[in-house]
Every structure is written in C-alpha cells, then in structure tokens.
Amino acid sequence: MKGRQLAIRTYPDHILRQTAKVVAKIDASTQRLIDNMLKTVTAAKGIGLAAPQVGKLKRIIVVTLPDQEPLVLINPVITKRSGERNVVEGCLSIPDYQSKLKRPKRIRIRGLDREGQPLQFRTNGQLAQVLDHEVDHLDGVLMLDHEEVPQ
Ligand code: ZN
C-alpha cells in the first residue's frame, strides 16, 4: 500500500476541536494525504479516519470497513439523517474508550471522490454510523459530545 503512516492526534489535542476547511483544489498533495490516511487507518486497525485526526484541517474522510472497498470522501455533507439507533463505538483519537450514544439509522451523504467526481448515496447501519462519526470530526465534534448523561 502506498503512503506513509501518520501520527494520530489524541484527545484533548485542540486540533480535534477545530473546524476543517473545504478542499478547494484536489491536487497531488491531496492525493498524498489520502494515501497516508488510508495507510494510517489500516495500520491502526481502525474503520474510519478524518483528516483533523492526523493534524490536517481539511474536509477529507476515509472509511475502511472490513470486506469493503475503502471509501474516500472529500467535502462530505450529510444532507439527511433519519431514525435513531443505540450504538457503542470507539475512536482512534480517544484510545481505550467506548461511548454509548445514538446515531442515525439512515443517512444521505454527498461529496467528491478522490478524483473530484461528485458522489451521492444513501446508506444505513454501520456505514451510516461511521460516516456520521467521521463527518463530525470535520466540525470538531467528538463522540463524547453525543453521550447521554447518566440519570
Ligand atoms: Zn473518531
């Protein structure tokens, strides 16, 4: 696999709370960053990664679910969320911790693929969960923010 492994920023690193910028031009450095993100998430045995987690405030996410082609989305926008389900999830930036929270059952998302081609689809289940989690990272939102306060 191309790319090199990058250091993953961990909570409470302030970069995780910042808003990432829209990618205006998809160039060689964007491709390098995507290769490096794919390498990093694979090495960390994760299933998703957002650019701020490797210290880059760019709106890029990658999802690497087992037995599926890696998914790369640039400037992703979730245009619809519906339903709710209880999930338990982790985050590469919050090691050895799991959050219990609600994620949408279904989402509709659009963005650009790594070549800059527009992409739009609906999905559900784990892919919807991971995409919601990764898009949150682009706005400085962490799974901790969704945790329900114990009664
Ligand atoms: Zn995360």
Side-chain angles (χ1 to χ4, degrees):
M1 185 188 263
K2 284 189 293 185
R4 69 189 175 89
Q5 209 177 325
L6 304 173
I8 296 176
R9 305 293 190 94
T10 55
Y11 182 80
D13 190 315
H14 291 290
I15 201 159
L16 298 172
R17 289 307 197 178
Q18 291 177 41
T19 301
K21 292 192 178 63
V22 167
V23 177
K25 187 160 167 269
I26 299 171
D27 55 15
S29 76
T30 315
Q31 300 300 337
R32 252 192 324 272
L33 174 58
I34 290 167
D35 286 338
N36 293 345
M37 286 173 66
L38 288 168
K39 181 91 171 184
T40 303
V41 70
T42 304
K45 297 183 167 55
I47 54 174
L49 189 71
Q53 293 180 274
V54 291
K56 307 286 182 197
L57 286 171
K58 292 174 189 261
R59 302 189 80 85
I60 301 174
I61 63 172
V62 300
V63 176
T64 50
L65 286 173
D67 306 320
Q68 293 188 28
E69 281 293 302
L71 176 63
V72 174
L73 274 176
I74 300 170
N75 302 336
V77 178
I78 294 176
T79 53
K80 193 173 181 192
R81 292 177 171 84
S82 51
E84 247 185 6
R85 63 185 195 110
N86 295 307
V87 298
V88 177
E89 66 185 32
C91 177
L92 291 174
S93 292
I94 310 171
D96 306 317
Y97 185 79
Q98 290 200 309
S99 280
K100 279 166 103 170
L101 65 151
K102 288 185 181 3
R103 289 285 180 195
K105 273 190 182 149
R106 293 172 297 280
I107 62 163
R108 187 189 301 166
I109 190 167
R110 63 176 165 79
L112 303 174
D113 70 13
R114 65 180 299 172
E115 270 76 48
Q117 297 303 310
L119 202 62
Q120 178 166 291
F121 57 93
R122 294 163 206 253
T123 189
N124 55 24
Q126 194 184 17
L127 181 55
Q129 177 188 352
V130 179
L131 288 167
D132 199 46
H133 177 119
E134 301 311 329
V135 170
D136 271 353
H137 273 299
L138 304 180
D139 294 312
V141 174
L142 299 174
M143 61 184 191
L144 308 174
D145 305 326
H146 293 291
E147 281 182 2
E148 283 172 39
V149 181
Q151 300 297 315

